[in-house]
Amino acid sequence: MASVPMHQGLLLAGILFALGLTGLLVRRNVVFILMSLEIMLNAAGLAFVVAGSRWGQPDGQIVFIFILTMAAAEVSVGLALVLQIYRRFKTLDVDAASEMRG
Amino acid sequence: MDAVFYIAAIVAIVSTVLAITRLNAVHALLYLIVSLLSVAVVFYVMGAPFVAALEVIVYAGAIMVLFVFVVMMLNLGKAATEMERQWQKPGMWAGPSILAAILIGEVAYLLSNPSTLAFGAAVVEPKLVAIQLFGPYLIGVELASMLLLGALVGAYHLGRRTQGKTEK
Amino acid sequence: MFHLVWLIPAFPIASFLVLAIFGTRLSKKAVPLFGVGSIALSAVVSILIMFRFLTSPPPGNHYTQILWTWVDVGGFKPQIAFYLDALSVLMTLVVTCVGFLIHLYSAEFMQEDEGYSRFFAYMNLFVASMCTLLLGNNLLLLFLGWEGVGLCSYLLIGFWYRDPANGLAARKAFIVTRVGDTAMTMGLFLLFDKLGTLQIQDLMHQALLHWAVGSPYAVAAALLLLGGAVGKSAQLPLQTWLPDAMAGPTPTSALIHAATMVTAGVYLIARTHILFSLAPSAQFAVAVVGAATLILAGFSALTQPDIKRILAYSTISQIGYMFLALGVGAWSAALFHFMTHAFFKALLFLGAGVIIESLHHEHNIFKMGGLRKELPLAFWTFLAAGCSLAGLPLITAGFYSKGLIIWDTWSSAQGSHVLWFAAVIGVLLTSLYTFRLIFVVFFGEVKTPVHKRPGLRMMVPCVILAVLSVVGGFLDTPPFLGGVHSFTDFMHLALPVMTEGPAGGMTEILSESFVTLAFLVGLYLAYFFYVQKREYAEKLTAPAIGKALHQFWLSDWGMDWLYERVFVRPIIWIARVDKQDFVDNIYSGMALLTEFCYRGVRKTETGRIRWYAAGIAAGSIIFVAIVLFL
Amino acid sequence: MLPLLIVTAAAVVVMLAISIKRSHLLAVWLTLVGLAAAFFSLWIVAPLTPIQVTPLLIVDGYALFYMGLILAATFVTVILAYGYLENQSGYREELYVLILVAALGSVVLVASSHFVSFFLGLEVLSVALYAMSAYLCARKPPLEAGLKYLVLAAASAAFLLFGMALVYAQLGTMQFGQIAAMLSGGACYSKALLLPGIALIITGIGFKLAVVPFHMWTPDVYEGAPAPVTAFIATVSKGAMVALLLRYFYETGMQHLGSVFLVFSIIAIASMIAGNLLALFQNNVKRILAYSSIAHLGYVLVAFLAGGTRAAEAVTFYLVAYFITTLGAFGVVSVLSNGERDADVLDDYRGLFWRRPVLAGIFTLMLLSLAGIPLTAGFVGKFFLVAAGASSALWGLIFTLIVTSVIGLFYYLRILVALYAPPAETGEAAPAGGLPALSRGGSYVLAALSVLLVWVGVYPAPILDAVQRAVSTLRLF
């Protein structure tokens, strides 16, 4: 039913991935950083679904499910950490969490 | 159907751009949800209805709600937006944007390869996915459960408000 | 039985570990239990092995115990393996037995010292290293033991580390022997490079196959090994560290700097005797070094006032005899002298320790006197050892071993009359300085009162060693005195028989008579100057020339002075002049560059997550670009 | 499969035990028993190997060897953690659940033969590690470490996944064996997607291995995380990743692709140089060890690039030595740490010899081994690395290895000098009897590790045999 070449799907994934990466590199707010990570993971999942669709296999979708699980796990730990950090550092600025260096 | 794909793709890209540039966290989250929904549409177009549904339910539903929840808890209001405005100087976008541009360029380059890769294009039914998932990938499912267990314990430990100072 | 050989180093090593880790927590009683007990066990094992070796020798008269291969990479596969033959069995036996006696002695001698357990830990490590040196079947293991004993020697000389002078002496010993070790390492590399193995027996076999007599490689390798031996055995020109090494506790001097470690050089040359026989010029160098050392050290010993330094020079001189014997190919004679020397020299040091202890740590012999009546047992044992050292004819071990060397020096095909003459002069000197020491210390009037008498644990080893110093010689006697050859026969299981040369008008009995004569002359001179006419001795040093000579000998022929001028000062001078050196700039430049790079790369560790993520992203993108476009 | 099941069961049991009754000791014992049982089950499983368990996992001799290594290292970590946490306030028991989960992830990694098990194993390990690094969340450094680790690990996981997706898009399979078959099958596969995919996978692997340029998190996380957790990150997570790297690349033969080889060479050289340079004037012992671990992984890559059985043996042996040494070094840091902060500043070690001679001796041993001084395990390991590199004539890499090792000596000696420096004559010089007792378990473990270190250094044959047998089951491309 679809006749979109795989290129287009992968290109979309790539663009989303790059956008997520940009967000990760630019934003200072921890919540935004976590969101950017979600975008990147979602893009990777999209790439898998595209690839699986190319081969007509369910494997790509299965990997997507696992990525979904993993994203959920990351986010839950990440957000718990954000709460803790907000309590200790009184800010959400990641650059505040750079006491260790050198 | 092609048109649906392209529209969904453009919506996804635009809403993602907006998501990462918004200053207000809740606005950003809403854009992100839009982005995820359009990706779900893309999934559907590519013959993966099952994950399209999952994308909507789990990603756009559960995970984003978790975000909203935390944002609410932290009570990021106007002050935070103001703070974001100070943090976000236009110059900061330059470097990362270049990196991202190179990355997109690379993706585009490698996809411009003449060996055309067409979709197999058959719809992969949820039933098939399920059979595979609980067949060869059974161990994967179990591992995913351990992954969630680890996350659960970790989040529980880290999220605890008072570190048991009374202990011992 | 032979497979127990690994226990010989294993016992002391185990005890070392126990003492090193739990030493401070062990009671004063438990420390010697480990320290002495482990050596006793080693001694028992080596006695058993010796016994077995005599009663039912292994096939081919040697036995190899391969414990394991250390690493095996591209032909380089040093093994942890022990090799038993007459040579290593004998030396191990002497080292463990004499070592045991000295440990027993130390148990009392060091009792009051705060570093009691530390002392035994070092001593045990030393015995373990020494046994590894002796038993190792390849040069790498031998070198490990070699460095191990060097390390222990360093630690023990500087044992009382709070006195900076001791630390200096330790450092001197370490650095001077290191000069020799460097030569030896080069020798090892040369051998491995040319012959492709480090296993000693293989190596000797390969050398015989590939190298003709006098081949330059053989000479070079032999000379480099000789360099190592000279350093370790304190022979000319690297002897200067040994007298200073007397800064260590007296049992250390007895064990390391008299009986065992300093003979490692002798062992090394005997072990690689095939190499030396392929390099006659190197072997001749051994003989010359030995002869020159024994004379020079004899003169130096004459003038020393410090009892331990006298003994130190005497040790240098006696090892000179061993080198002389090795140099003329009298392999078994060298080993015979090694054994008797281990007995009487260890005893002399132990006796000296008794004297020093009982006189409030007095080292100067001219402040001693009349101890014959005060410390009778010490006197008699010391006398026995002294006579053995000087070579009192017929009854002492020293007479037989030294006489054998001197006769072999004449009769060997590689010997020469000049060397023989030097050796006889050496006897005279030995006799003179030995009896000078005995007369001054034990006769005359009492100068310092005795405040403490040694206990049983100190005197028993002395008595046993005294007996050995006397009867040890009867293992091998000249034909006119019974003609026993048991020692020589035993050594010939491992070492070749000496090739006899033309006797040239000399007979063994005549040679022995000369030795006797030299001994008597020395004895008489000592008696004359130090008992009858004390004032003459002082008069001798009164005139300018006498004084200068005295000073010259006292300072070890000005060796230290010479080295100071020839090596140390010029090097310091060059170093100072060279501060702005061009080459130096390269090194300091490299250091600066490194530091600069450090500052540079350190800047990358900003602590910022976003920067780190950028690093990951950039790296990833660059790598993608590389695989895409390259 | 049995070891995996036991570890999983142990994690669940410990969690249930915690929910019923909180007891530190009980949790530790349950964890240790679980790990020991899993360890010994390796022998039960051994006769059945090699066995492919679904497409995801392959349990062969190689996997079993690394499982043993990981379980043993985890065992040591748990004992260290017990002594360490006894001094801490707050809940302690959850850490053991996390450790078990992380161990499970590592064990899956070494047995993985499929992208899915690769990535799931990695994530199980990572998610547990985030929480472990930030475990002492009452202090700031652990939180910072946890956040850094989480963000960067998740980002690199995204790279890894994207790379996997590209490889999958190209080849249509995610199983290593089939990838190998396809690669050897024909040149008709255009490498357009494959190569960038591999490059992105290298990013993911490189992050876990902490090699340049994916290394920058290492010192911060090492410094911030509690010392036993650092020991775990430095050994188990890296070891599992190296095992996977060897299997994945050797079985598919990907490292022979010219540009991939180039990428790894760059990584190796940069890691050796940067790791050693960064450690030079560092004053924090944990950071020094972090930088030195970067360099050590660079050394490992040298042998990895050499390829072949010999190289796999060298790498595996080196890892054994590295595990012993690193656990020992962090063990010392761990037993010296108190309830307020970790003993990680160089000044904490100044004159340690005069206060705790045995501990200083052990630390000395570990440092000498890291520096590769003969008669320690580290020397033999490095010897094999160089030999493997030399057999493939990788002279440039070997040259870098040797030069940077010399630079490395400098900072190891700096710590040694501090250890033996005369005790500071400050006012607080009254430690007579005032020294807190060291944790007993920790001391025993350290003693055992030092014995092992010298034993492997002097008598490497048994370990080498085991390594050779393990590696022989690896199906080389």
Side-chain angles (χ1 to χ4, degrees):
Chain A
M1 76 191 223
S3 58
V4 186
M6 186 181 73
H7 292 152
Q8 263 63 350
L10 280 184
L11 188 61
L12 175 64
I15 292 172
L16 290 181
F17 190 86
L19 286 174
L21 183 63
T22 318
L24 174 71
L25 299 183
V26 170
R27 303 306 299 246
R28 285 173 71 172
N29 188 320
V30 189
V31 175
F32 279 92
I33 287 183
L34 288 181
M35 276 164 59
S36 305
L37 284 174
E38 290 308 307
I39 297 172
M40 287 169 76
L41 288 176
N42 189 45
L46 173 61
F48 262 109
V49 173
V50 171
S53 160
R54 174 195 176 184
W55 299 102
Q57 293 170 345
D59 303 55
Q61 299 189 35
I62 288 170
V63 177
F64 179 81
I65 295 171
F66 288 135
I67 294 180
L68 204 64
T69 320
M70 167 214 166
E74 299 260 355
V75 163
S76 57
V77 178
L79 288 176
L81 209 52
V82 167
L83 290 178
Q84 240 354 301
I85 283 177
Y86 192 65
R87 248 173 248 155
R88 306 281 161 210
F89 289 82
K90 301 288 174 229
T91 173
L92 285 176
D93 182 7
V94 274
D95 287 357
S98 60
E99 289 178 358
M100 294 182 292
R101 67 177 73 158
Chain B
M1 279 315 245
D2 278 11
V4 177
F5 172 83
Y6 288 116
I7 294 167
I10 290 167
V11 171
I13 293 170
V14 171
S15 57
T16 308
V17 169
L18 290 171
I20 60 171
T21 49
R22 284 311 85 188
L23 299 178
N24 186 309
V26 179
H27 295 178
L29 277 171
L30 290 176
Y31 281 117
L32 189 51
I33 290 172
V34 173
S35 157
L36 294 174
L37 289 177
S38 43
V39 170
V41 172
V42 171
F43 284 161
Y44 189 79
V45 171
M46 286 191 303
F50 182 54
V51 295
L54 279 184
E55 174 93 1
V56 174
I57 299 168
V58 181
Y59 234 127
I63 297 181
M64 286 307 123
V65 166
L66 202 61
F67 264 103
V68 173
F69 199 65
V70 169
V71 170
M72 297 295 179
M73 245 173 98
L74 296 176
N75 198 13
L76 302 172
K78 282 243 167 59
T81 312
E82 203 47 44
M83 183 77 82
E84 288 286 333
R85 199 187 306 282
Q86 285 170 13
W87 286 349
Q88 245 49 65
K89 299 199 183 68
M92 293 183 65
W93 290 90
S97 303
I98 291 169
L99 274 183
I102 295 174
L103 186 58
I104 294 172
E106 280 174 354
V107 174
Y109 172 82
L110 67 90
L111 292 174
S112 66
N113 204 298
S115 69
T116 312
L117 313 152
F119 274 111
V123 176
V124 181
E125 295 293 338
K127 191 176 169 191
L128 188 57
V129 175
I131 288 171
Q132 284 284 307
L133 188 60
F134 292 99
Y137 289 100
L138 188 60
I139 291 175
V141 177
E142 296 304 322
L143 280 175
S145 69
M146 286 311 285
L147 177 64
L148 289 174
L149 174 74
L152 177 75
V153 173
Y156 163 69
H157 176 77
L158 293 176
R160 211 164 10 210
R161 184 166 287 275
T162 48
Q163 276 297 299
K165 285 272 161 37
T166 50
E167 282 268 313
K168 203 163 184 203
Chain C
M1 177 51 60
F2 295 121
H3 58 266
L4 291 181
V5 57
W6 64 275
L7 286 171
I8 298 179
F11 281 126
I13 260 291
S15 157
F16 159 71
L17 288 176
V18 170
L19 289 171
I21 297 173
F22 305 109
T24 47
R25 273 176 252 166
L26 289 177
S27 70
K28 276 252 155 153
K29 285 219 176 84
V31 169
L33 198 67
F34 281 102
V36 182
S38 62
I39 309 294
L41 288 172
S42 286
V44 168
V45 173
S46 35
I47 289 169
L48 286 175
I49 284 178
M50 182 63 155
F51 184 72
R52 181 71 183 213
F53 206 92
L54 288 172
T55 51
S56 56
N61 289 321
H62 61 80
Y63 171 83
T64 308
Q65 182 184 33
I66 298 175
L67 291 179
W68 66 79
T69 303
W70 188 40
V71 286
D72 181 0
V73 175
F76 176 74
K77 48 173 187 181
Q79 291 166 327
I80 308 290
F82 295 130
Y83 181 78
L84 281 177
D85 67 351
L87 177 61
S88 55
V89 168
L90 172 85
M91 289 199 62
T92 313
L93 181 72
V94 172
V95 166
T96 50
C97 290
V98 174
F100 164 67
L101 293 173
I102 296 174
H103 274 73
L104 186 61
Y105 174 94
S106 323
E108 185 184 327
F109 188 86
M110 298 299 290
Q111 211 160 26
E112 306 304 319
D113 204 282
E114 54 172 319
Y116 197 46
S117 64
R118 187 164 59 98
F119 178 80
F120 275 107
Y122 292 165
M123 290 284 269
N124 284 344
L125 181 62
F126 170 79
V127 174
S129 309
M130 189 71 199
C131 291
T132 311
L133 193 168
L134 296 175
L135 292 169
N137 94 322
N138 61 65
L139 286 174
L140 202 69
L141 202 55
L142 184 148
F143 191 69
L144 177 72
W146 187 274
E147 292 301 319
V149 294
L151 173 71
C152 293
S153 163
Y154 168 80
L155 291 171
L156 283 165
I157 295 170
F159 183 74
W160 288 308
Y161 55 89
R162 288 183 207 279
D163 183 354
N166 295 343
L168 275 180
R171 217 177 306 163
K172 180 171 175 184
F174 202 67
I175 291 170
V176 173
T177 49
R178 191 40 43 106
V179 173
D181 291 354
T182 310
M184 178 167 161
T185 324
M186 280 155 51
L188 296 191
F189 284 138
L190 180 67
L191 286 172
F192 182 67
D193 186 43
K194 291 294 162 208
L195 301 177
T197 173
L198 279 177
Q199 212 223 322
I200 298 172
Q201 304 311 316
D202 272 1
L203 199 64
M204 294 301 126
H205 190 64
Q206 296 288 327
L208 274 181
L209 278 182
H210 294 297
W211 290 343
V213 172
S215 106
Y217 285 129
V219 174
L223 282 177
L224 287 169
L225 290 187
L226 173 63
V230 158
K232 204 52 126 194
S233 290
Q235 296 294 289
L236 217 63
L238 297 178
Q239 86 286 28
T240 55
W241 65 271
L242 188 60
D244 289 340
M246 295 302 133
T250 307
T252 304
S253 312
L255 179 61
I256 299 184
H257 305 121
T260 58
M261 183 188 86
V262 286
T263 54
V266 177
Y267 171 77
L268 178 67
I269 294 176
R271 185 40 94 208
T272 55
H273 60 87
I274 292 176
L275 191 61
F276 279 88
S277 48
L278 285 176
S281 49
Q283 202 182 353
F284 183 67
V286 176
V288 171
V289 165
T293 311
L294 78 92
I295 296 278
L296 296 186
F299 277 112
S300 290
L302 272 183
T303 53
Q304 302 295 328
D306 179 323
I307 183 168
K308 284 179 75 180
R309 287 181 80 92
I310 297 176
L311 294 176
Y313 280 108
S314 147
T315 303
I316 297 174
S317 159
Q318 296 306 309
I319 295 172
Y321 274 107
M322 297 177 212
F323 268 61
L324 177 59
L326 295 173
V328 299
W331 310 104
S332 67
L335 268 295
F336 190 35
H337 194 55
F338 151 76
M339 185 181 75
T340 59
H341 176 256
F343 295 149
F344 63 70
K345 189 50 64 66
L347 173 53
L348 284 172
F349 270 107
L350 297 187
V354 170
I355 296 163
I356 293 168
E357 271 286 281
S358 52
L359 297 181
H360 292 287
H361 299 284
E362 181 55 66
H363 280 228
N364 191 337
I365 57 170
F366 294 108
K367 293 190 181 151
M368 303 170 183
L371 291 178
R372 182 168 38 125
K373 297 203 182 60
E374 299 289 323
L375 298 167
L377 194 54
F379 167 65
W380 286 110
T381 53
F382 200 90
L383 184 66
C387 290
S388 196
L389 165 63
L392 175 67
L394 303 184
I395 58 164
T396 61
F399 169 73
Y400 291 108
S401 59
K402 214 182 285 183
L404 185 60
I405 290 178
I406 292 171
W407 165 238
D408 283 349
T409 309
W410 183 283
S411 67
S412 165
Q414 290 140 295
S416 86
H417 302 179
V418 180
L419 294 176
W420 177 86
F421 184 69
V424 173
I425 295 296
V427 174
L428 193 156
L429 288 169
T430 313
S431 165
L432 180 55
Y433 67 69
T434 309
F435 285 104
R436 164 177 176 267
L437 173 64
I438 291 175
F439 289 141
V440 170
V441 171
F442 289 101
F443 291 80
E445 74 270 28
V446 176
K447 289 184 182 151
T448 315
V450 173
H451 86 119
K452 180 175 143 194
R453 277 165 218 288
L456 203 59
R457 277 187 293 178
M458 276 168 80
M459 289 323 290
V460 166
C462 291
V463 172
I464 294 175
L465 283 171
V467 172
L468 287 173
S469 314
V470 175
V471 302
F474 299 126
L475 286 175
D476 210 272
T477 56
F480 56 92
L481 287 171
V484 183
H485 285 122
S486 45
F487 188 87
T488 312
D489 290 343
F490 179 66
M491 286 324 293
H492 286 164
L493 296 178
L495 295 168
V497 182
M498 186 187 79
T499 28
E500 303 249 349
M506 180 71 84
T507 59
E508 189 162 3
I509 194 160
L510 197 58
S511 167
E512 299 285 7
S513 313
F514 275 112
V515 172
T516 310
L517 185 66
F519 166 78
L520 289 174
V521 171
L523 174 61
Y524 174 72
L525 286 176
Y527 182 71
F528 180 76
F529 281 116
Y530 293 97
V531 178
Q532 278 192 320
K533 311 268 191 228
R534 267 277 167 110
E535 62 279 10
Y536 279 29
E538 278 138 40
K539 265 188 202 154
L540 266 185
T541 58
I545 179 150
K547 199 169 178 177
L549 210 55
H550 181 260
Q551 196 55 44
F552 190 46
W553 290 345
L554 181 65
S555 65
D556 192 10
W557 299 74
M559 280 292 186
D560 276 337
W561 180 85
L562 193 70
Y563 286 165
E564 173 83 21
R565 296 290 137 108
V566 176
F567 294 113
V568 179
R569 288 215 196 151
I571 286 173
I572 292 175
W573 181 77
I574 289 173
R576 203 177 309 126
V577 170
D578 211 35
K579 247 183 198 161
Q580 305 299 324
D581 177 36
F582 168 70
V583 180
D584 221 32
N585 283 338
I586 295 178
Y587 292 111
S588 54
M590 264 156 64
L592 271 179
L593 184 71
T594 316
E595 202 177 331
F596 177 76
C597 293
Y598 164 73
R599 306 253 169 255
V601 287
R602 200 192 146 139
K603 293 229 171 69
T604 62
E605 289 291 336
T606 53
R608 294 178 179 217
I609 297 178
R610 296 183 301 154
W611 169 252
Y612 293 178
I616 292 175
S620 183
I621 288 166
I622 289 169
F623 289 149
V624 170
I626 287 177
V627 294
L628 264 186
F629 298 111
L630 286 185
Chain D
M1 268 310 281
L2 197 54
L4 276 73
L5 290 178
I6 294 178
V7 175
T8 314
V12 175
V13 166
V14 173
M15 191 184 69
L16 292 178
I18 292 171
S19 60
I20 295 167
K21 181 177 182 300
R22 273 195 179 273
S23 157
H24 192 189
L25 200 59
L26 178 69
V28 170
W29 273 112
L30 284 175
T31 314
L32 291 181
V33 167
L35 287 170
F39 189 77
F40 289 111
S41 71
L42 295 177
W43 273 270
I44 302 173
V45 179
L48 306 175
T49 58
I51 174 173
Q52 180 83 40
V53 188
T54 73
L56 297 192
L57 296 179
I58 176 153
V59 180
D60 53 7
Y62 177 77
L64 286 185
F65 181 85
Y66 271 99
M67 283 182 191
L69 196 60
I70 286 167
L71 292 172
T74 313
F75 193 86
V76 170
T77 313
V78 169
I79 297 177
L80 291 176
Y82 173 67
Y84 182 86
L85 286 183
E86 272 295 288
N87 294 328
Q88 311 291 337
S89 58
Y91 293 126
R92 324 187 186 96
E93 293 78 10
E94 283 88 345
L95 183 70
Y96 302 104
V97 182
L98 294 172
I99 288 183
L100 283 170
V101 171
L104 173 69
S106 322
V107 169
V108 168
L109 271 184
V110 300
S112 109
S113 63
H114 193 283
F115 279 160
V116 167
S117 51
F118 177 1
F119 130 75
L120 277 175
L122 184 71
E123 280 311 312
V124 172
L125 171 64
S126 299
V127 167
L129 282 181
Y130 307 150
M132 282 161 72
S133 328
Y135 195 79
L136 299 172
C137 47
R139 302 186 201 163
K140 276 187 177 180
L143 276 183
E144 191 184 324
L147 180 70
K148 282 178 178 169
Y149 196 54
L150 184 137
V151 170
L152 298 172
S156 71
F159 276 101
L160 176 77
L161 285 169
F162 206 91
M164 285 177 175
L166 289 183
V167 174
Y168 176 52
Q170 176 79 62
L171 298 178
T173 177
M174 292 186 279
Q175 245 190 301
F176 296 172
Q178 288 177 14
I179 292 174
M182 293 196 143
L183 285 181
S184 62
C188 57
Y189 291 96
S190 118
K191 306 223 160 70
L193 292 176
L194 183 66
L195 284 174
I198 295 173
L200 291 177
I201 291 176
I202 292 174
T203 305
I205 294 177
F207 172 81
K208 267 279 177 291
L209 294 182
V211 284
V212 177
F214 316 114
H215 67 289
M216 288 187 275
W217 58 278
T218 328
D220 294 0
V221 172
Y222 273 39
E223 184 188 343
V229 175
T230 313
F232 191 87
I233 298 176
T235 53
V236 174
S237 98
K238 284 190 185 177
M241 211 48 181
V242 171
L244 183 107
L245 179 78
L246 281 184
R247 186 195 289 282
Y248 176 53
F249 279 89
Y250 278 21
E251 288 196 348
T252 58
M254 283 184 189
Q255 88 276 17
H256 294 306
L257 300 172
S259 45
V260 176
F261 188 88
L262 177 68
V263 166
F264 271 115
S265 305
I266 295 173
I267 293 179
I269 291 178
S271 300
M272 289 188 278
I273 294 177
N276 280 316
L277 277 182
L278 277 165
L280 273 186
F281 298 97
Q282 186 54 245
N283 279 325
N284 185 308
V285 173
K286 274 165 126 186
R287 294 185 82 92
I288 293 183
L289 290 173
Y291 291 128
S292 100
S293 81
I294 296 173
H296 279 278
L297 266 297
Y299 303 154
V300 166
L301 286 184
V302 172
F304 164 74
L305 280 173
T309 319
R310 181 61 74 70
E313 284 167 18
V315 169
T316 310
F317 186 89
Y318 192 79
L319 272 189
V320 175
Y322 177 77
F323 265 50
I324 299 173
T325 315
T326 310
L327 284 174
F330 282 111
V332 172
V333 176
S334 170
V335 298
L336 280 176
S337 302
N338 57 27
E340 284 131 44
R341 57 180 208 81
D342 279 13
D344 52 5
V345 188
L346 204 50
D347 285 335
D348 291 335
Y349 295 86
R350 199 160 302 270
L352 184 69
F353 177 72
W354 309 103
R355 280 175 282 144
R356 297 187 184 281
V358 176
L359 206 56
I362 290 174
F363 203 31
T364 308
L365 216 54
M366 299 301 161
L367 291 172
L368 291 181
S369 177
L370 281 174
I373 303 295
L375 290 188
T376 58
F379 170 77
V380 182
K382 205 178 265 186
F383 192 83
F384 283 129
L385 289 190
V386 172
S391 67
S392 296
L394 306 173
W395 300 120
L397 289 166
I398 292 181
F399 176 75
T400 320
L401 193 159
I402 292 171
V403 169
T404 51
S405 295
V406 172
I407 299 178
L409 262 181
F410 176 77
Y411 56 85
Y412 294 123
L413 288 180
R414 268 186 76 219
I415 307 182
L416 283 185
V417 167
L419 281 182
Y420 293 93
E425 300 293 332
T426 48
E428 41 150 15
L435 285 177
L438 298 179
S439 91
R440 182 164 302 172
S443 316
Y444 289 149
V445 161
L446 284 179
L449 285 173
S450 349
V451 171
L452 209 57
L453 180 78
V454 176
W455 187 55
V456 174
V458 177
Y459 184 30
I463 301 279
L464 200 60
D465 270 1
V467 168
Q468 276 165 351
R469 254 181 289 128
V471 168
S472 66
T473 63
L474 204 58
R475 286 168 307 187
L476 292 186
F477 179 68

